[in-house]
Coordinates of all heavy atoms in Angstrom, one line a residue:
M1 N -19.5 203.9 51.2 CA -18.1 204.4 51.3 C -17.8 205.2 50.1 O -18.1 204.8 49.0 CB -17.1 203.2 51.4 CG -15.7 203.6 51.5 SD -14.5 202.3 51.7 CE -14.9 201.7 53.2
T2 N -17.2 206.5 50.3 CA -16.8 207.3 49.3 C -15.5 206.9 48.6 O -14.7 206.1 49.3 CB -16.7 208.7 49.7 OG1 -15.7 208.9 50.6 CG2 -18.0 209.3 50.3
Y3 N -15.2 207.4 47.5 CA -13.8 207.1 47.0 C -12.7 207.6 47.9 O -11.7 207.0 48.0 CB -13.6 207.8 45.5 CG -14.6 207.3 44.5 CD1 -15.3 208.1 43.7 CD2 -14.6 205.9 44.3 CE1 -16.2 207.5 42.7 CE2 -15.4 205.2 43.4 CZ -16.3 206.2 42.5 OH -17.1 205.7 41.7
E4 N -12.9 208.8 48.4 CA -12.0 209.3 49.3 C -11.7 208.5 50.5 O -10.6 208.3 51.0 CB -12.4 210.8 49.8 CG -12.2 211.9 48.8 CD -10.8 212.1 48.3 OE1 -9.9 212.0 49.2 OE2 -10.6 212.4 47.0
E5 N -12.7 207.9 51.2 CA -12.6 207.1 52.3 C -11.9 205.8 51.9 O -11.0 205.2 52.6 CB -14.0 206.7 52.9 CG -14.6 207.7 53.6 CD -16.2 207.6 53.8 OE1 -16.8 206.7 53.1 OE2 -16.7 208.3 54.7
A6 N -12.2 205.2 50.7 CA -11.6 204.0 50.1 C -10.0 204.3 50.0 O -9.2 203.5 50.3 CB -12.1 203.5 48.9
K7 N -9.8 205.4 49.4 CA -8.3 205.8 49.2 C -7.5 205.9 50.5 O -6.4 205.5 50.7 CB -8.2 207.1 48.5 CG -8.4 207.1 46.9 CD -8.1 208.3 46.3 CE -8.7 209.5 46.7 NZ -8.5 210.7 45.8
K8 N -8.2 206.5 51.6 CA -7.5 206.7 52.7 C -7.3 205.3 53.5 O -6.2 205.0 53.9 CB -8.4 207.4 53.7 CG -8.2 208.9 53.8 CD -9.0 209.6 54.9 CE -9.1 211.0 54.6 NZ -10.2 211.7 55.4
I9 N -8.2 204.4 53.3 CA -8.0 203.0 53.8 C -6.9 202.3 53.2 O -6.0 201.8 53.8 CB -9.3 202.3 53.9 CG1 -10.3 203.0 54.9 CG2 -9.1 200.8 54.2 CD1 -11.8 202.4 54.6
L10 N -7.0 202.4 51.8 CA -6.0 201.7 50.9 C -4.4 202.2 51.3 O -3.5 201.5 51.4 CB -6.3 201.7 49.6 CG -7.5 201.0 49.2 CD1 -7.8 201.1 47.8 CD2 -7.4 199.5 49.4
K11 N -4.4 203.6 51.4 CA -3.1 204.2 51.6 C -2.6 203.8 53.1 O -1.4 203.6 53.1 CB -3.2 205.8 51.4 CG -3.3 206.2 50.0 CD -3.4 207.7 49.9 CE -3.4 208.1 48.4 NZ -3.5 209.5 48.2
A12 N -3.5 203.8 54.0 CA -3.1 203.4 55.3 C -2.6 202.0 55.4 O -1.6 201.6 56.1 CB -4.3 203.5 56.4
F13 N -3.2 201.1 54.6 CA -2.8 199.7 54.5 C -1.5 199.6 54.0 O -0.6 198.8 54.6 CB -3.8 198.9 53.5 CG -3.4 197.4 53.4 CD1 -3.9 196.5 54.3 CD2 -2.6 197.0 52.5 CE1 -3.5 195.2 54.2 CE2 -2.2 195.7 52.4 CZ -2.7 194.7 53.1
I14 N -1.0 200.4 53.1 CA 0.3 200.3 52.4 C 1.3 200.8 53.5 O 2.4 200.3 53.7 CB 0.4 201.2 51.2 CG1 -0.2 200.6 50.0 CG2 1.9 201.6 50.8 CD1 -0.4 201.4 48.8
E15 N 0.9 201.8 54.2 CA 1.8 202.4 55.2 C 2.1 201.4 56.4 O 3.3 201.1 56.8 CB 1.3 203.6 55.9 CG 1.5 204.8 55.0 CD 0.7 206.0 55.5 OE1 0.4 206.1 56.7 OE2 0.5 206.9 54.8
I16 N 1.0 200.6 56.7 CA 1.2 199.6 57.7 C 2.0 198.3 57.2 O 2.8 197.8 58.0 CB -0.1 199.2 58.3 CG1 -0.8 200.3 59.1 CG2 0.0 197.8 59.2 CD1 -2.3 200.1 59.3
N17 N 1.7 197.9 56.0 CA 2.2 196.6 55.5 C 3.3 196.9 54.4 O 3.9 195.9 54.0 CB 1.2 195.9 54.8 CG 0.0 195.5 56.0 OD1 0.4 194.6 56.6 ND2 -1.1 196.2 55.8
G18 N 3.7 198.2 54.2 CA 4.7 198.4 53.1 C 6.1 197.7 53.5 O 6.8 197.4 52.5
C19 N 6.5 197.5 54.6 CA 7.8 196.9 54.9 C 7.7 195.4 54.9 O 8.8 194.7 54.9 CB 8.3 197.4 56.3 SG 7.2 197.0 57.6
I20 N 6.6 194.7 54.9 CA 6.4 193.4 54.8 C 6.5 192.8 53.3 O 6.3 193.7 52.4 CB 5.0 192.9 55.3 CG1 5.0 193.4 56.8 CG2 4.9 191.3 55.4 CD1 3.7 193.3 57.4
E21 N 6.9 191.5 53.1 CA 7.0 191.0 51.7 C 5.7 190.9 51.0 O 5.1 189.8 50.9 CB 7.9 189.7 51.8 CG 9.2 189.8 52.3 CD 10.1 190.6 51.2 OE1 9.9 190.4 50.0 OE2 11.0 191.4 51.7
L22 N 5.0 192.0 50.6 CA 3.8 191.9 50.0 C 3.7 192.8 48.8 O 2.8 193.5 48.4 CB 2.6 192.5 50.8 CG 2.3 191.7 52.1 CD1 1.3 192.5 52.9 CD2 1.7 190.3 51.8
P23 N 4.9 192.6 47.8 CA 4.9 193.5 46.7 C 3.8 193.6 45.8 O 3.4 194.5 45.2 CB 6.2 193.1 46.1 CG 6.6 191.7 46.6 CD 5.9 191.6 47.9
I24 N 3.3 192.3 45.5 CA 2.2 192.2 44.4 C 0.9 192.8 45.0 O 0.3 193.6 44.3 CB 2.0 190.7 44.1 CG1 3.2 190.2 43.3 CG2 0.7 190.4 43.2 CD1 3.2 188.6 43.2
V25 N 0.7 192.5 46.3 CA -0.6 193.1 46.8 C -0.4 194.6 46.9 O -1.4 195.4 46.5 CB -0.8 192.5 48.3 CG1 -2.0 193.3 49.1 CG2 -1.1 191.1 48.2
I26 N 0.8 195.1 47.3 CA 1.0 196.6 47.4 C 0.9 197.2 46.0 O 0.2 198.3 45.8 CB 2.4 196.8 47.9 CG1 2.5 196.4 49.5 CG2 2.8 198.4 47.9 CD1 1.7 197.1 50.4
N27 N 1.4 196.5 45.0 CA 1.2 197.1 43.7 C -0.2 197.1 43.1 O -0.6 198.1 42.5 CB 2.1 196.3 42.6 CG 3.6 196.6 42.7 OD1 3.9 197.7 43.2 ND2 4.5 195.7 42.2
A28 N -1.0 196.2 43.5 CA -2.4 196.0 43.2 C -3.1 197.1 43.9 O -3.9 197.9 43.3 CB -2.9 194.7 43.5
I29 N -2.7 197.5 45.1 CA -3.4 198.5 45.8 C -3.1 199.9 45.3 O -3.9 200.7 45.2 CB -3.1 198.4 47.4 CG1 -3.7 197.3 48.0 CG2 -3.5 199.6 48.1 CD1 -3.3 196.9 49.4
K30 N -1.7 200.0 45.0 CA -1.4 201.3 44.4 C -2.2 201.6 43.0 O -2.5 202.7 42.6 CB 0.1 201.3 44.0 CG 1.0 201.5 45.2 CD 2.4 201.4 45.0 CE 3.3 201.7 46.3 NZ 4.7 201.6 45.9
K31 N -2.4 200.6 42.3 CA -3.1 200.6 40.9 C -4.6 200.9 41.4 O -5.1 201.8 40.7 CB -3.2 199.2 40.2 CG -1.9 199.1 39.4 CD -2.1 199.9 38.1 CE -0.8 199.9 37.2 NZ -0.8 201.0 36.2
A32 N -5.2 200.4 42.5 CA -6.5 200.7 42.8 C -6.6 202.2 43.2 O -7.5 202.9 42.9 CB -7.0 199.8 43.9
I33 N -5.6 202.6 44.0 CA -5.5 204.1 44.4 C -5.5 205.0 43.1 O -6.3 206.0 43.1 CB -4.4 204.4 45.3 CG1 -4.7 203.7 46.7 CG2 -4.1 205.9 45.5 CD1 -3.4 203.5 47.6
E34 N -4.7 204.6 42.1 CA -4.6 205.4 40.9 C -6.0 205.4 40.3 O -6.4 206.6 39.8 CB -3.7 204.8 39.9 CG -2.2 205.1 40.2 CD -1.3 204.4 39.3 OE1 -1.7 204.1 38.1 OE2 -0.1 204.0 39.6
A35 N -6.6 204.4 40.2 CA -8.0 204.4 39.6 C -8.9 205.3 40.4 O -9.8 205.9 39.7 CB -8.5 202.9 39.5
L36 N -8.9 205.2 41.7 CA -9.9 206.0 42.4 C -9.5 207.5 42.3 O -10.4 208.4 42.3 CB -9.7 205.6 44.0 CG -10.2 204.3 44.4 CD1 -9.9 203.9 45.7 CD2 -11.8 204.3 44.2
E37 N -8.2 207.9 42.2 CA -7.9 209.2 42.0 C -8.4 209.7 40.5 O -9.0 210.9 40.5 CB -6.3 209.4 41.9 CG -5.5 209.0 43.0 CD -5.5 210.2 44.0 OE1 -6.2 211.2 43.8 OE2 -4.8 210.0 45.1
M38 N -8.5 208.8 39.5 CA -9.1 209.2 38.3 C -10.5 209.4 38.4 O -11.2 210.3 37.6 CB -8.7 208.2 37.2 CG -7.2 208.0 36.9 SD -6.6 209.6 36.4 CE -6.5 209.4 34.7
R39 N -11.2 208.6 39.2 CA -12.7 208.7 39.3 C -13.1 209.8 40.3 O -14.3 210.3 40.2 CB -13.2 207.3 40.0 CG -13.2 206.1 39.0 CD -14.2 206.3 38.1 NE -15.5 206.3 38.8 CZ -16.6 206.0 38.2 NH1 -16.6 205.6 36.9 NH2 -17.7 206.1 38.9
T40 N -12.1 210.4 41.0 CA -12.5 211.6 41.9 C -12.3 212.9 41.2 O -11.4 213.2 40.7 CB -11.4 211.6 43.1 OG1 -11.5 210.4 43.7 CG2 -11.9 212.6 44.1
P41 N -13.5 213.5 40.8 CA -13.5 214.7 39.9 C -12.4 215.8 40.5 O -12.3 216.1 41.7 CB -14.8 215.3 40.1 CG -15.7 214.1 40.3 CD -14.9 213.3 41.3
K42 N -11.5 216.3 39.6 CA -10.6 217.4 40.0 C -11.0 218.6 39.1 O -11.5 218.4 37.9 CB -9.3 216.9 39.7 CG -8.7 215.9 40.6 CD -7.3 215.4 40.3 CE -6.9 214.3 41.0 NZ -5.5 213.9 40.6
K43 N -10.7 219.8 39.5 CA -10.9 221.0 38.8 C -10.1 221.0 37.6 O -8.9 220.7 37.7 CB -10.7 222.2 39.8 CG -11.5 222.4 41.0 CD -12.7 223.1 40.6 CE -13.5 223.4 41.9 NZ -14.9 223.6 41.6
A44 N -10.5 221.4 36.5 CA -9.7 221.6 35.3 C -8.8 222.9 35.4 O -9.2 223.8 36.2 CB -10.6 221.8 34.2
Y45 N -7.7 222.9 34.8 CA -6.9 224.0 34.8 C -7.5 225.2 33.9 O -7.8 224.8 32.7 CB -5.5 223.6 34.4 CG -4.7 223.0 35.4 CD1 -4.0 221.8 35.1 CD2 -4.5 223.5 36.7 CE1 -3.2 221.1 36.0 CE2 -3.7 222.8 37.6 CZ -3.1 221.6 37.3 OH -2.4 221.0 38.2
D46 N -7.6 226.3 34.4 CA -8.3 227.4 33.8 C -7.2 228.1 32.9 O -6.5 229.0 33.5 CB -8.9 228.4 34.8 CG -9.8 229.5 34.2 OD1 -9.6 229.6 33.0 OD2 -10.4 230.1 35.0
V47 N -7.0 227.7 31.6 CA -6.0 228.3 30.9 C -6.5 229.8 30.4 O -5.7 230.6 30.5 CB -5.8 227.4 29.7 CG1 -4.8 228.1 28.7 CG2 -5.3 226.0 30.1
N48 N -7.7 229.8 29.9 CA -8.2 231.1 29.5 C -9.8 231.0 29.5 O -10.4 230.5 28.6 CB -7.8 231.3 28.1 CG -8.3 232.9 27.6 OD1 -9.3 233.3 28.0 ND2 -7.4 233.4 26.8
R49 N -10.3 231.5 30.6 CA -11.8 231.3 30.9 C -12.6 231.9 29.7 O -13.5 231.3 29.3 CB -12.1 231.8 32.3 CG -13.5 231.6 32.7 CD -13.7 231.7 34.1 NE -13.2 230.8 34.8 CZ -13.7 229.6 35.3 NH1 -14.9 229.5 35.0 NH2 -13.0 228.9 35.9
E50 N -12.3 233.1 29.2 CA -13.1 233.7 28.3 C -13.1 232.9 26.9 O -13.9 233.0 26.2 CB -12.5 235.2 28.0 CG -12.9 236.1 29.1 CD -12.5 237.5 28.9 OE1 -12.2 237.9 27.8 OE2 -12.5 238.3 29.9
M51 N -11.9 232.4 26.6 CA -11.9 231.6 25.4 C -12.4 230.1 25.6 O -12.3 229.2 24.7 CB -10.4 231.6 24.9 CG -9.8 232.8 24.5 SD -10.5 233.5 23.0 CE -10.1 232.5 21.8
K52 N -12.8 229.9 26.8 CA -13.3 228.5 27.2 C -12.2 227.5 26.9 O -12.4 226.5 26.3 CB -14.5 228.1 26.5 CG -15.8 229.0 27.0 CD -17.0 228.1 26.8 CE -18.1 228.6 27.7 NZ -19.0 227.6 28.2
S53 N -11.0 227.8 27.4 CA -9.8 226.9 27.2 C -9.4 226.4 28.6 O -9.0 227.2 29.5 CB -8.7 227.7 26.6 OG -7.6 226.9 26.4
F54 N -9.5 225.2 28.7 CA -9.2 224.4 29.9 C -8.3 223.2 29.7 O -8.5 222.6 28.6 CB -10.5 224.0 30.6 CG -11.4 225.1 31.1 CD1 -12.3 225.5 30.2 CD2 -11.1 225.7 32.4 CE1 -13.1 226.6 30.6 CE2 -12.0 226.8 32.7 CZ -13.0 227.2 31.9
D55 N -7.4 222.9 30.6 CA -6.6 221.6 30.6 C -6.9 220.6 31.6 O -7.4 221.0 32.7 CB -5.2 222.0 30.7 CG -4.6 222.7 29.4 OD1 -5.3 222.7 28.4 OD2 -3.5 223.3 29.5
C56 N -6.8 219.4 31.3 CA -6.9 218.3 32.2 C -6.0 218.4 33.5 O -4.8 218.8 33.3 CB -6.7 217.0 31.5 SG -6.6 215.6 32.7
P57 N -6.5 218.4 34.7 CA -5.7 218.5 35.8 C -4.7 217.4 36.0 O -3.7 217.5 36.8 CB -6.7 218.5 37.0 CG -7.9 217.8 36.5 CD -7.9 218.0 35.0
S58 N -4.8 216.2 35.3 CA -3.9 215.2 35.5 C -3.0 215.0 34.4 O -1.7 214.9 34.6 CB -4.7 213.7 35.5 OG -5.5 213.7 36.7
C59 N -3.3 215.1 33.1 CA -2.4 214.9 32.0 C -2.2 216.2 31.3 O -1.3 216.2 30.3 CB -2.9 213.8 31.0 SG -4.3 214.3 30.0
L60 N -2.8 217.2 31.5 CA -2.6 218.7 31.0 C -3.1 218.7 29.4 O -2.8 219.7 28.8 CB -1.2 219.2 31.1 CG -0.6 219.2 32.6 CD1 0.8 219.7 32.6 CD2 -1.5 220.0 33.4
S61 N -3.8 217.7 29.0 CA -4.4 217.7 27.6 C -5.5 218.7 27.7 O -6.1 219.0 28.6 CB -4.9 216.4 27.3 OG -3.9 215.4 27.2
S62 N -5.6 219.4 26.5 CA -6.7 220.4 26.4 C -8.1 219.6 26.4 O -8.2 218.5 25.9 CB -6.7 221.1 24.9 OG -5.6 221.8 25.1
L63 N -9.1 220.2 27.0 CA -10.4 219.6 27.1 C -11.2 220.1 26.0 O -11.4 221.5 26.0 CB -11.0 219.9 28.6 CG -10.2 219.3 29.7 CD1 -10.7 219.8 31.1 CD2 -10.3 217.7 29.7
Y64 N -11.9 219.3 25.2 CA -12.7 219.8 24.2 C -14.1 219.4 24.3 O -14.5 218.4 25.0 CB -12.2 219.2 22.9 CG -10.9 219.7 22.5 CD1 -9.8 218.7 22.5 CD2 -10.7 220.9 21.9 CE1 -8.6 219.1 22.1 CE2 -9.3 221.3 21.5 CZ -8.3 220.5 21.6 OH -7.1 220.8 21.3
A65 N -15.1 220.2 23.8 CA -16.4 219.9 23.8 C -17.2 220.5 22.5 O -16.7 221.6 22.1 CB -17.2 220.3 25.0
E66 N -18.0 219.8 22.0 CA -18.8 220.4 20.8 C -19.6 221.6 21.2 O -19.8 222.6 20.5 CB -19.6 219.3 20.1 CG -18.8 218.4 19.4 CD -19.6 217.4 18.5 OE1 -20.8 217.5 18.4 OE2 -18.9 216.4 18.0
D67 N -20.3 221.5 22.4 CA -21.2 222.6 22.8 C -20.7 223.1 24.2 O -19.7 223.9 24.1 CB -22.6 222.1 23.0 CG -22.7 220.8 23.6 OD1 -22.0 220.5 24.6 OD2 -23.7 220.0 23.3
E68 N -21.3 222.7 25.3 CA -20.9 223.2 26.6 C -19.7 222.4 27.2 O -19.7 221.3 27.3 CB -22.0 223.3 27.6 CG -23.0 224.3 27.2 CD -22.5 225.7 27.3 OE1 -21.8 226.1 28.3 OE2 -22.7 226.6 26.3
L69 N -18.6 223.1 27.5 CA -17.5 222.5 28.0 C -17.8 221.8 29.3 O -17.3 220.7 29.6 CB -16.3 223.5 28.3 CG -14.9 223.0 28.4 CD1 -14.5 222.1 27.2 CD2 -13.9 224.2 28.6
E70 N -18.7 222.3 30.1 CA -19.2 221.7 31.3 C -19.7 220.3 31.2 O -19.9 219.6 32.1 CB -20.1 222.6 32.1 CG -19.3 223.8 32.6 CD -19.0 225.0 31.6 OE1 -19.5 224.8 30.4 OE2 -18.3 225.8 31.8
N71 N -20.2 220.1 29.9 CA -20.7 218.7 29.6 C -19.6 217.7 29.6 O -19.8 216.4 29.5 CB -21.5 218.8 28.4 CG -22.8 219.5 28.5 OD1 -23.2 219.7 29.5 ND2 -23.4 219.9 27.4
V72 N -18.3 218.1 29.6 CA -17.3 217.2 29.4 C -17.0 216.5 30.9 O -16.6 217.2 31.8 CB -15.9 217.7 29.0 CG1 -14.7 216.8 29.0 CG2 -16.1 218.4 27.6
G73 N -17.4 215.3 31.2 CA -17.3 214.8 32.5 C -15.9 214.1 32.8 O -15.5 214.0 33.9
Y74 N -15.2 213.8 31.6 CA -13.9 213.1 31.7 C -13.0 213.5 30.8 O -13.4 213.9 29.6 CB -14.1 211.5 31.6 CG -14.9 210.9 32.6 CD1 -16.3 210.8 32.5 CD2 -14.5 210.4 33.8 CE1 -17.2 210.2 33.5 CE2 -15.1 209.8 34.7 CZ -16.5 209.7 34.6 OH -17.3 209.1 35.6
C75 N -11.7 213.5 30.9 CA -10.7 213.7 30.0 C -10.7 212.6 29.0 O -10.6 211.5 29.5 CB -9.3 213.9 30.7 SG -7.8 214.0 29.5
C76 N -10.7 213.0 27.7 CA -10.8 211.9 26.7 C -9.3 211.3 26.5 O -9.3 210.2 25.9 CB -11.3 212.3 25.4 SG -10.3 213.6 24.5
V77 N -8.3 211.8 27.1 CA -7.0 211.2 26.9 C -6.7 210.2 28.0 O -6.3 209.2 27.9 CB -5.9 212.4 26.9 CG1 -4.5 211.7 26.8 CG2 -6.2 213.2 25.6
C78 N -6.9 210.7 29.4 CA -6.5 209.9 30.5 C -7.6 209.4 31.3 O -7.5 208.5 32.0 CB -5.5 210.7 31.3 SG -6.2 211.9 32.3
G79 N -8.8 209.9 31.1 CA -10.0 209.4 31.8 C -10.3 210.2 33.1 O -11.2 209.8 33.9
Q80 N -9.5 211.1 33.5 CA -9.7 211.9 34.7 C -11.0 212.5 34.8 O -11.4 213.2 33.8 CB -8.6 213.0 34.8 CG -8.8 213.9 36.0 CD -8.7 213.1 37.3 OE1 -7.7 212.6 37.7 NE2 -9.6 213.2 38.2
A81 N -11.8 212.4 35.8 CA -13.1 212.9 36.0 C -12.9 214.5 36.3 O -12.0 214.7 37.1 CB -13.8 212.3 37.2
I82 N -13.7 215.3 35.7 CA -13.6 216.7 35.8 C -14.6 217.3 36.6 O -15.8 217.0 36.5 CB -13.5 217.4 34.4 CG1 -12.5 216.7 33.5 CG2 -13.4 218.8 34.5 CD1 -11.0 216.8 33.9
D83 N -14.3 218.2 37.6 CA -15.1 218.8 38.4 C -15.4 220.3 37.8 O -14.4 221.1 37.8 CB -14.6 218.9 39.8 CG -15.5 219.7 40.8 OD1 -16.6 220.2 40.4 OD2 -15.0 219.9 41.9
W84 N -16.6 220.6 37.4 CA -16.9 221.9 36.9 C -17.7 222.8 37.8 O -18.2 223.8 37.4 CB -17.7 221.8 35.6 CG -16.9 221.2 34.5 CD1 -17.1 220.0 34.0 CD2 -15.8 221.7 33.7 NE1 -16.2 219.7 32.9 CE2 -15.5 220.8 32.8 CE3 -15.2 223.0 33.8 CZ2 -14.4 221.1 31.9 CZ3 -14.1 223.2 32.9 CH2 -13.8 222.2 31.9
S85 N -17.7 222.3 39.1 CA -18.5 223.1 40.1 C -17.9 224.6 40.2 O -16.8 224.7 40.0 CB -18.6 222.3 41.4 OG -17.3 222.3 41.9
A86 N -18.8 225.4 40.6 CA -18.4 226.8 40.7 C -17.1 227.1 41.6 O -17.1 226.5 42.7 CB -19.6 227.7 41.1
D87 N -16.2 227.9 41.2 CA -15.0 228.1 41.9 C -15.3 229.2 42.9 O -16.1 230.1 42.6 CB -13.9 228.6 41.1 CG -13.5 227.6 40.0 OD1 -13.4 226.4 40.4 OD2 -13.2 228.0 38.9
E88 N -14.7 229.2 44.1 CA -14.7 230.3 45.0 C -13.7 231.3 44.4 O -12.6 230.9 44.0 CB -14.3 229.9 46.4 CG -15.1 228.7 47.0 CD -14.4 227.3 46.6 OE1 -13.2 227.2 46.7 OE2 -15.2 226.6 46.2
E89 N -14.2 232.5 44.4 CA -13.2 233.6 44.0 C -12.0 233.7 44.9 O -12.3 233.7 46.1 CB -14.0 235.0 43.7 CG -14.9 234.8 42.6 CD -14.3 234.7 41.3 OE1 -13.2 235.2 40.9 OE2 -14.9 233.9 40.4
T90 N -10.8 233.8 44.4 CA -9.7 233.9 45.3 C -9.1 235.3 45.0 O -9.2 235.9 44.0 CB -8.6 232.8 44.9 OG1 -8.4 233.0 43.6 CG2 -9.1 231.6 45.4
Ligands
LIG101 ZN1 -6.2 213.9 31.2

């Protein structure tokens, strides 16, 4: 099962059971969804590509690396996984 599949199932569970008295379970599932969101790589914000300046897509902190920025797998502030795969030109 992928993270995306797990998130879909957990979100559907909340929609079905959200009106029932399950606040603790619902809060635990929301926390799990948040954790899955952080583990799912997201594209960094391209602040200035030539200057190799990028921001975290979740907390907007600057992403730093001693050598290649693409070696930064996670934001060191919030832990968001970063996706450096090639962008499609828009
Ligand atoms: Zn971050």
